[in-house]
PDB file of all heavy atoms in Angstrom:
ATOM      1  N   GLU A   1      69.987 -77.207 -45.355  1.00 82.00           N
ATOM      2  CA  GLU A   1      69.532 -76.521 -46.561  1.00 82.00           C
ATOM      3  C   GLU A   1      70.387 -75.289 -46.835  1.00 82.00           C
ATOM      4  O   GLU A   1      70.771 -74.575 -45.910  1.00 82.00           O
ATOM      5  CB  GLU A   1      68.063 -76.125 -46.451  1.00 82.00           C
ATOM      6  CG  GLU A   1      67.708 -75.263 -45.273  1.00 82.00           C
ATOM      7  CD  GLU A   1      66.227 -74.954 -45.196  1.00 82.00           C
ATOM      8  OE1 GLU A   1      65.405 -75.813 -45.554  1.00 82.00           O
ATOM      9  OE2 GLU A   1      65.908 -73.847 -44.766  1.00 82.00           O
ATOM     10  N   LYS A   2      70.717 -75.084 -48.095  1.00 80.00           N
ATOM     11  CA  LYS A   2      71.459 -73.902 -48.558  1.00 80.00           C
ATOM     12  C   LYS A   2      72.697 -73.606 -47.724  1.00 80.00           C
ATOM     13  O   LYS A   2      72.940 -72.489 -47.305  1.00 80.00           O
ATOM     14  CB  LYS A   2      70.542 -72.682 -48.593  1.00 80.00           C
ATOM     15  CG  LYS A   2      69.363 -72.821 -49.513  1.00 80.00           C
ATOM     16  CD  LYS A   2      68.495 -71.588 -49.486  1.00 80.00           C
ATOM     17  CE  LYS A   2      67.243 -71.815 -50.326  1.00 80.00           C
ATOM     18  NZ  LYS A   2      66.305 -70.705 -50.235  1.00 80.00           N
ATOM     19  N   GLY A   3      73.491 -74.617 -47.436  1.00 75.00           N
ATOM     20  CA  GLY A   3      74.713 -74.434 -46.687  1.00 75.00           C
ATOM     21  C   GLY A   3      74.515 -74.154 -45.209  1.00 75.00           C
ATOM     22  O   GLY A   3      75.447 -73.829 -44.494  1.00 75.00           O
ATOM     23  N   GLY A   4      73.282 -74.267 -44.725  1.00 82.00           N
ATOM     24  CA  GLY A   4      72.995 -74.014 -43.319  1.00 82.00           C
ATOM     25  C   GLY A   4      72.137 -75.122 -42.738  1.00 82.00           C
ATOM     26  O   GLY A   4      71.954 -76.178 -43.340  1.00 82.00           O
ATOM     27  N   LEU A   5      71.614 -74.857 -41.591  1.00 84.00           N
ATOM     28  CA  LEU A   5      70.802 -75.840 -40.890  1.00 84.00           C
ATOM     29  C   LEU A   5      69.546 -75.169 -40.363  1.00 84.00           C
ATOM     30  O   LEU A   5      69.616 -74.098 -39.763  1.00 84.00           O
ATOM     31  CB  LEU A   5      71.595 -76.430 -39.715  1.00 84.00           C
ATOM     32  CG  LEU A   5      70.870 -77.456 -38.873  1.00 84.00           C
ATOM     33  CD1 LEU A   5      70.793 -78.786 -39.613  1.00 84.00           C
ATOM     34  CD2 LEU A   5      71.554 -77.639 -37.540  1.00 84.00           C
ATOM     35  N   MET A   6      68.402 -75.785 -40.603  1.00 88.00           N
ATOM     36  CA  MET A   6      67.123 -75.304 -40.080  1.00 88.00           C
ATOM     37  C   MET A   6      66.720 -76.252 -38.964  1.00 88.00           C
ATOM     38  O   MET A   6      66.637 -77.463 -39.169  1.00 88.00           O
ATOM     39  CB  MET A   6      66.071 -75.317 -41.169  1.00 88.00           C
ATOM     40  CG  MET A   6      64.684 -75.176 -40.662  1.00 88.00           C
ATOM     41  SD  MET A   6      64.295 -73.492 -40.357  1.00 88.00           S
ATOM     42  CE  MET A   6      62.839 -73.323 -41.297  1.00 88.00           C
ATOM     43  N   LEU A   7      66.511 -75.709 -37.763  1.00 89.00           N
ATOM     44  CA  LEU A   7      66.108 -76.509 -36.601  1.00 89.00           C
ATOM     45  C   LEU A   7      64.789 -75.971 -36.085  1.00 89.00           C
ATOM     46  O   LEU A   7      64.662 -74.785 -35.801  1.00 89.00           O
ATOM     47  CB  LEU A   7      67.169 -76.437 -35.497  1.00 89.00           C
ATOM     48  CG  LEU A   7      66.824 -77.099 -34.164  1.00 89.00           C
ATOM     49  CD1 LEU A   7      66.650 -78.603 -34.341  1.00 89.00           C
ATOM     50  CD2 LEU A   7      67.889 -76.792 -33.130  1.00 89.00           C
ATOM     51  N   SER A   8      63.810 -76.848 -35.982  1.00 93.00           N
ATOM     52  CA  SER A   8      62.500 -76.494 -35.459  1.00 93.00           C
ATOM     53  C   SER A   8      62.229 -77.381 -34.249  1.00 93.00           C
ATOM     54  O   SER A   8      62.408 -78.598 -34.318  1.00 93.00           O
ATOM     55  CB  SER A   8      61.431 -76.727 -36.533  1.00 93.00           C
ATOM     56  OG  SER A   8      60.148 -76.488 -36.031  1.00 93.00           O
ATOM     57  N   VAL A   9      61.829 -76.770 -33.122  1.00 94.00           N
ATOM     58  CA  VAL A   9      61.542 -77.541 -31.917  1.00 94.00           C
ATOM     59  C   VAL A   9      60.113 -77.290 -31.449  1.00 94.00           C
ATOM     60  O   VAL A   9      59.564 -76.215 -31.658  1.00 94.00           O
ATOM     61  CB  VAL A   9      62.539 -77.229 -30.776  1.00 94.00           C
ATOM     62  CG1 VAL A   9      63.944 -77.614 -31.172  1.00 94.00           C
ATOM     63  CG2 VAL A   9      62.487 -75.787 -30.377  1.00 94.00           C
ATOM     64  N   THR A  10      59.539 -78.298 -30.825  1.00 95.00           N
ATOM     65  CA  THR A  10      58.212 -78.206 -30.224  1.00 95.00           C
ATOM     66  C   THR A  10      58.363 -78.527 -28.742  1.00 95.00           C
ATOM     67  O   THR A  10      58.856 -79.602 -28.387  1.00 95.00           O
ATOM     68  CB  THR A  10      57.242 -79.209 -30.870  1.00 95.00           C
ATOM     69  OG1 THR A  10      57.188 -78.951 -32.271  1.00 95.00           O
ATOM     70  CG2 THR A  10      55.859 -79.101 -30.272  1.00 95.00           C
ATOM     71  N   ILE A  11      57.946 -77.576 -27.905  1.00 95.00           N
ATOM     72  CA  ILE A  11      58.036 -77.734 -26.460  1.00 95.00           C
ATOM     73  C   ILE A  11      56.624 -77.601 -25.899  1.00 95.00           C
ATOM     74  O   ILE A  11      55.938 -76.620 -26.175  1.00 95.00           O
ATOM     75  CB  ILE A  11      58.952 -76.649 -25.830  1.00 95.00           C
ATOM     76  CG1 ILE A  11      60.311 -76.606 -26.534  1.00 95.00           C
ATOM     77  CG2 ILE A  11      59.094 -76.871 -24.337  1.00 95.00           C
ATOM     78  CD1 ILE A  11      61.091 -77.874 -26.504  1.00 95.00           C
ATOM     79  N   PRO A  12      56.143 -78.562 -25.116  1.00 95.00           N
ATOM     80  CA  PRO A  12      54.784 -78.492 -24.578  1.00 95.00           C
ATOM     81  C   PRO A  12      54.591 -77.307 -23.622  1.00 95.00           C
ATOM     82  O   PRO A  12      55.555 -76.806 -23.028  1.00 95.00           O
ATOM     83  CB  PRO A  12      54.627 -79.807 -23.811  1.00 95.00           C
ATOM     84  CG  PRO A  12      55.703 -80.699 -24.290  1.00 95.00           C
ATOM     85  CD  PRO A  12      56.817 -79.802 -24.728  1.00 95.00           C
ATOM     86  N   HIS A  13      53.349 -76.893 -23.466  1.00 94.00           N
ATOM     87  CA  HIS A  13      52.996 -75.848 -22.503  1.00 94.00           C
ATOM     88  C   HIS A  13      53.414 -76.278 -21.100  1.00 94.00           C
ATOM     89  O   HIS A  13      53.438 -77.470 -20.783  1.00 94.00           O
ATOM     90  CB  HIS A  13      51.484 -75.579 -22.507  1.00 94.00           C
ATOM     91  CG  HIS A  13      51.006 -74.991 -23.786  1.00 94.00           C
ATOM     92  ND1 HIS A  13      51.180 -73.668 -24.115  1.00 94.00           N
ATOM     93  CD2 HIS A  13      50.370 -75.549 -24.832  1.00 94.00           C
ATOM     94  CE1 HIS A  13      50.662 -73.434 -25.296  1.00 94.00           C
ATOM     95  NE2 HIS A  13      50.161 -74.567 -25.766  1.00 94.00           N
ATOM     96  N   ASN A  14      53.740 -75.299 -20.265  1.00 93.00           N
ATOM     97  CA  ASN A  14      54.095 -75.530 -18.856  1.00 93.00           C
ATOM     98  C   ASN A  14      55.344 -76.387 -18.684  1.00 93.00           C
ATOM     99  O   ASN A  14      55.495 -77.071 -17.678  1.00 93.00           O
ATOM    100  CB  ASN A  14      52.926 -76.144 -18.083  1.00 93.00           C
ATOM    101  CG  ASN A  14      51.723 -75.247 -18.081  1.00 93.00           C
ATOM    102  OD1 ASN A  14      51.843 -74.038 -17.898  1.00 93.00           O
ATOM    103  ND2 ASN A  14      50.563 -75.808 -18.325  1.00 93.00           N
ATOM    104  N   THR A  15      56.213 -76.388 -19.688  1.00 95.00           N
ATOM    105  CA  THR A  15      57.494 -77.063 -19.578  1.00 95.00           C
ATOM    106  C   THR A  15      58.573 -76.100 -20.065  1.00 95.00           C
ATOM    107  O   THR A  15      58.283 -75.019 -20.568  1.00 95.00           O
ATOM    108  CB  THR A  15      57.548 -78.346 -20.426  1.00 95.00           C
ATOM    109  OG1 THR A  15      57.435 -77.998 -21.808  1.00 95.00           O
ATOM    110  CG2 THR A  15      56.459 -79.317 -20.045  1.00 95.00           C
ATOM    111  N   SER A  16      59.824 -76.498 -19.920  1.00 94.00           N
ATOM    112  CA  SER A  16      60.928 -75.684 -20.427  1.00 94.00           C
ATOM    113  C   SER A  16      61.942 -76.604 -21.083  1.00 94.00           C
ATOM    114  O   SER A  16      61.918 -77.821 -20.899  1.00 94.00           O
ATOM    115  CB  SER A  16      61.576 -74.869 -19.306  1.00 94.00           C
ATOM    116  OG  SER A  16      62.116 -75.722 -18.327  1.00 94.00           O
ATOM    117  N   ALA A  17      62.852 -75.995 -21.860  1.00 94.00           N
ATOM    118  CA  ALA A  17      63.846 -76.791 -22.573  1.00 94.00           C
ATOM    119  C   ALA A  17      65.155 -76.035 -22.680  1.00 94.00           C
ATOM    120  O   ALA A  17      65.179 -74.806 -22.711  1.00 94.00           O
ATOM    121  CB  ALA A  17      63.342 -77.136 -23.965  1.00 94.00           C
ATOM    122  N   VAL A  18      66.218 -76.804 -22.733  1.00 93.00           N
ATOM    123  CA  VAL A  18      67.539 -76.289 -23.067  1.00 93.00           C
ATOM    124  C   VAL A  18      67.810 -76.790 -24.484  1.00 93.00           C
ATOM    125  O   VAL A  18      67.782 -77.999 -24.729  1.00 93.00           O
ATOM    126  CB  VAL A  18      68.612 -76.820 -22.096  1.00 93.00           C
ATOM    127  CG1 VAL A  18      70.000 -76.388 -22.524  1.00 93.00           C
ATOM    128  CG2 VAL A  18      68.314 -76.365 -20.680  1.00 93.00           C
ATOM    129  N   VAL A  19      68.036 -75.853 -25.405  1.00 91.00           N
ATOM    130  CA  VAL A  19      68.258 -76.216 -26.803  1.00 91.00           C
ATOM    131  C   VAL A  19      69.707 -75.902 -27.156  1.00 91.00           C
ATOM    132  O   VAL A  19      70.146 -74.760 -27.030  1.00 91.00           O
ATOM    133  CB  VAL A  19      67.287 -75.461 -27.735  1.00 91.00           C
ATOM    134  CG1 VAL A  19      67.540 -75.836 -29.188  1.00 91.00           C
ATOM    135  CG2 VAL A  19      65.837 -75.739 -27.354  1.00 91.00           C
ATOM    136  N   HIS A  20      70.434 -76.917 -27.590  1.00 88.00           N
ATOM    137  CA  HIS A  20      71.823 -76.763 -28.012  1.00 88.00           C
ATOM    138  C   HIS A  20      71.844 -76.564 -29.523  1.00 88.00           C
ATOM    139  O   HIS A  20      71.313 -77.399 -30.257  1.00 88.00           O
ATOM    140  CB  HIS A  20      72.648 -77.996 -27.642  1.00 88.00           C
ATOM    141  CG  HIS A  20      72.689 -78.251 -26.178  1.00 88.00           C
ATOM    142  ND1 HIS A  20      73.684 -77.740 -25.374  1.00 88.00           N
ATOM    143  CD2 HIS A  20      71.861 -78.942 -25.370  1.00 88.00           C
ATOM    144  CE1 HIS A  20      73.468 -78.119 -24.126  1.00 88.00           C
ATOM    145  NE2 HIS A  20      72.367 -78.850 -24.099  1.00 88.00           N
ATOM    146  N   LEU A  21      72.444 -75.457 -29.964  1.00 85.00           N
ATOM    147  CA  LEU A  21      72.538 -75.169 -31.385  1.00 85.00           C
ATOM    148  C   LEU A  21      73.919 -75.564 -31.896  1.00 85.00           C
ATOM    149  O   LEU A  21      74.928 -75.121 -31.348  1.00 85.00           O
ATOM    150  CB  LEU A  21      72.289 -73.687 -31.656  1.00 85.00           C
ATOM    151  CG  LEU A  21      70.924 -73.159 -31.222  1.00 85.00           C
ATOM    152  CD1 LEU A  21      70.835 -71.659 -31.459  1.00 85.00           C
ATOM    153  CD2 LEU A  21      69.816 -73.884 -31.958  1.00 85.00           C
ATOM    154  N   PRO A  22      73.976 -76.370 -32.952  1.00 79.00           N
ATOM    155  CA  PRO A  22      75.266 -76.806 -33.487  1.00 79.00           C
ATOM    156  C   PRO A  22      75.878 -75.710 -34.363  1.00 79.00           C
ATOM    157  O   PRO A  22      75.737 -75.709 -35.576  1.00 79.00           O
ATOM    158  CB  PRO A  22      74.915 -78.051 -34.296  1.00 79.00           C
ATOM    159  CG  PRO A  22      73.498 -77.831 -34.713  1.00 79.00           C
ATOM    160  CD  PRO A  22      72.864 -77.031 -33.601  1.00 79.00           C
ATOM    161  N   ALA A  23      76.542 -74.733 -33.741  1.00 77.00           N
ATOM    162  CA  ALA A  23      77.182 -73.637 -34.465  1.00 77.00           C
ATOM    163  C   ALA A  23      78.547 -73.372 -33.847  1.00 77.00           C
ATOM    164  O   ALA A  23      78.747 -73.570 -32.649  1.00 77.00           O
ATOM    165  CB  ALA A  23      76.316 -72.382 -34.391  1.00 77.00           C
ATOM    166  N   ALA A  24      79.481 -72.911 -34.664  1.00 75.00           N
ATOM    167  CA  ALA A  24      80.821 -72.616 -34.174  1.00 75.00           C
ATOM    168  C   ALA A  24      80.823 -71.408 -33.236  1.00 75.00           C
ATOM    169  O   ALA A  24      81.628 -71.313 -32.328  1.00 75.00           O
ATOM    170  CB  ALA A  24      81.765 -72.370 -35.342  1.00 75.00           C
ATOM    171  N   SER A  25      79.882 -70.471 -33.456  1.00 77.00           N
ATOM    172  CA  SER A  25      79.782 -69.306 -32.580  1.00 77.00           C
ATOM    173  C   SER A  25      78.327 -68.852 -32.515  1.00 77.00           C
ATOM    174  O   SER A  25      77.520 -69.171 -33.387  1.00 77.00           O
ATOM    175  CB  SER A  25      80.655 -68.160 -33.080  1.00 77.00           C
ATOM    176  OG  SER A  25      80.083 -67.548 -34.229  1.00 77.00           O
ATOM    177  N   ALA A  26      78.006 -68.077 -31.484  1.00 79.00           N
ATOM    178  CA  ALA A  26      76.635 -67.580 -31.317  1.00 79.00           C
ATOM    179  C   ALA A  26      76.238 -66.650 -32.456  1.00 79.00           C
ATOM    180  O   ALA A  26      75.054 -66.521 -32.777  1.00 79.00           O
ATOM    181  CB  ALA A  26      76.500 -66.865 -29.985  1.00 79.00           C
ATOM    182  N   ASN A  27      77.184 -66.004 -33.099  1.00 79.00           N
ATOM    183  CA  ASN A  27      76.890 -65.089 -34.212  1.00 79.00           C
ATOM    184  C   ASN A  27      76.358 -65.813 -35.435  1.00 79.00           C
ATOM    185  O   ASN A  27      75.750 -65.202 -36.298  1.00 79.00           O
ATOM    186  CB  ASN A  27      78.142 -64.291 -34.585  1.00 79.00           C
ATOM    187  CG  ASN A  27      78.567 -63.354 -33.481  1.00 79.00           C
ATOM    188  OD1 ASN A  27      77.750 -62.930 -32.661  1.00 79.00           O
ATOM    189  ND2 ASN A  27      79.843 -63.035 -33.446  1.00 79.00           N
ATOM    190  N   GLN A  28      76.582 -67.111 -35.534  1.00 77.00           N
ATOM    191  CA  GLN A  28      76.110 -67.886 -36.670  1.00 77.00           C
ATOM    192  C   GLN A  28      74.653 -68.325 -36.512  1.00 77.00           C
ATOM    193  O   GLN A  28      74.051 -68.778 -37.464  1.00 77.00           O
ATOM    194  CB  GLN A  28      76.982 -69.119 -36.885  1.00 77.00           C
ATOM    195  CG  GLN A  28      78.392 -68.807 -37.334  1.00 77.00           C
ATOM    196  CD  GLN A  28      79.198 -70.071 -37.511  1.00 77.00           C
ATOM    197  OE1 GLN A  28      79.160 -70.952 -36.663  1.00 77.00           O
ATOM    198  NE2 GLN A  28      79.912 -70.151 -38.607  1.00 77.00           N
TER     199      GLN A  28
END
């Protein structure tokens, strides 16, 4: 949307996740 990307994640209680963001740099 609007030249960008909206990512929404759902992680269950008592668990953890590694989320990879598709961006050229962390500043984006």
Side-chain angles (χ1 to χ4, degrees):
E1 57 182 35
K2 299 179 185 175
L5 179 75
M6 165 82 126
L7 174 64
S8 176
V9 297
T10 302
I11 308 301
H13 294 282
N14 299 317
T15 64
S16 62
V18 175
V19 179
H20 299 268
L21 300 176
S25 74
N27 294 335
Q28 292 179 315

